[in-house]
Amino acid sequence: MHPHLKEILFTREEIEAKVRELAQEISADYKESYPLVVGILKGSVMFTTDLLKELLIDVELDFMDVSSYGNATQSSGEVRILKDLSTRADGRDILIVEDIVDSGNTLHYLKGLLLERGAKSVKIVSLLDKPEGRKIAIEADYVGFTVPDEFVVGYGIDYAERYRSLAYIGVFNQEFL
Ligand code: PRP
Ligand code: MN
Ligand code: MG
């Protein structure tokens, strides 16, 4: 375990098994469709690529990068687009791939935006869900694991841009702040 972590929540093997399970469920639900999979940079990169490898259907892949701004006490959750889709959203069945739903601001904004652009459907798969962090009502359609209200890192998820490359998910030890 990385010395800045205080515990491991999900091992590489547990994540692999969960990703395969989610991929099978998603493949069954989209077997009549050719969905547009949208990975949200940067946190969802590992999850997106691992999930794609386990899908039993063909999909189109694109990415978006967004950043929340304004102060953290605001519940309005303004979000700014840093990189937009290169693909048109209208008429598409879209599956947003996220690493974690925390306040819900990012996904609430993205889902609204893609529906406004005329997407036929917008669903969300998130590897992690932190329900205690929620500030706005939004739920992922597919969730891997529920996590406690702590600084979760690894498998793409950072704390101050660090620890993304860990193959497992753990809790950051705040003694190393
Ligand atoms: C993190 C995470 C989610 C979002 C969840 O991304 O990857 O995208 O925050 O938080 P929310 O539910 O409160 O909106 P971040 O903006 O830190 O960017 P990153 O993915 O590049 O780390
Ligand atoms: Mn992110
Ligand atoms: Mg981040």
Side-chain angles (χ1 to χ4, degrees), residues 40-44 65-66 98-100 106 156 158 164:
I40 308 306
L41 299 170
K42 297 182 264 194
S44 84
D65 192 3
V66 295
E98 260 292 28
D99 48 320
I100 187 165
T106 302
D158 70 305
R164 291 193 200 272

Side-chain angles (χ1 to χ4, degrees), residues 55-117:
L55 288 178
L56 308 165
I57 53 164
D58 193 20
V59 301
E60 183 171 355
L61 175 63
D62 206 343
F63 291 96
M64 279 185 85
D65 192 3
V66 295
S67 124
S68 299
Y69 74 137
N71 65 63
T73 55
Q74 263 179 343
S75 61
S76 67
E78 265 183 282
V79 177
R80 185 163 54 111
I81 298 178
L82 302 178
K83 184 229 171 284
D84 207 335
L85 292 177
S86 349
T87 320
R88 295 180 58 110
D90 55 292
R92 299 302 299 270
D93 291 312
I94 296 180
L95 179 66
I96 300 175
V97 183
E98 260 292 28
D99 48 320
I100 187 165
V101 192
D102 188 353
S103 73
N105 286 331
T106 302
L107 281 170
H108 179 264
Y109 168 79
L110 283 170
K111 188 171 183 177
L113 178 78
L114 296 174
L115 286 170
E116 206 174 277
R117 289 181 181 179

Side-chain angles (χ1 to χ4, degrees), residues 12-175:
R12 180 200 284 261
E13 292 74 23
E14 286 168 335
I15 295 168
E16 275 169 10
K18 184 63 78 176
V19 170
R20 199 167 306 127
E21 202 180 288
L22 289 168
Q24 285 168 1
E25 199 184 338
I26 289 164
S27 299
D29 290 353
Y30 285 91
K31 66 177 184 295
E32 307 298 324
S33 175
Y34 169 60
L36 176 62
V37 170
V38 177
I40 308 306
L41 299 170
K42 297 182 264 194
S44 84
V45 164
M46 284 200 201
F47 178 43
T48 303
T49 57
D50 285 349
L51 185 73
L52 287 182
K53 286 184 278 182
E54 298 295 335
L55 288 178
L56 308 165
I57 53 164
D58 193 20
V59 301
E60 183 171 355
L61 175 63
D62 206 343
F63 291 96
M64 279 185 85
D65 192 3
V66 295
S67 124
S68 299
Y69 74 137
N71 65 63
T73 55
Q74 263 179 343
S75 61
S76 67
E78 265 183 282
V79 177
R80 185 163 54 111
I81 298 178
L82 302 178
K83 184 229 171 284
D84 207 335
L85 292 177
S86 349
T87 320
R88 295 180 58 110
D90 55 292
R92 299 302 299 270
D93 291 312
I94 296 180
L95 179 66
I96 300 175
V97 183
E98 260 292 28
D99 48 320
I100 187 165
V101 192
D102 188 353
S103 73
N105 286 331
T106 302
L107 281 170
H108 179 264
Y109 168 79
L110 283 170
K111 188 171 183 177
L113 178 78
L114 296 174
L115 286 170
E116 206 174 277
R117 289 181 181 179
K120 186 162 129 203
S121 68
V122 178
K123 283 201 193 182
I124 296 160
V125 55
S126 186
L127 182 63
L128 305 181
D129 183 18
K130 190 193 279 185
E132 290 164 71
R134 210 71 94 249
K135 295 202 174 93
I136 191 158
I138 183 99
E139 296 304 326
D141 300 274
Y142 309 92
V143 171
F145 303 103
T146 300
V147 295
D149 195 8
E150 302 213 61
F151 287 106
V152 174
V153 297
Y155 195 68
I157 303 169
D158 70 305
Y159 181 77
E161 297 301 325
R162 296 194 63 176
Y163 319 115
R164 291 193 200 272
S165 62
L166 300 176
Y168 49 85
I169 293 171
V171 178
F172 175 65
N173 182 345
Q174 289 184 68
E175 283 170 27

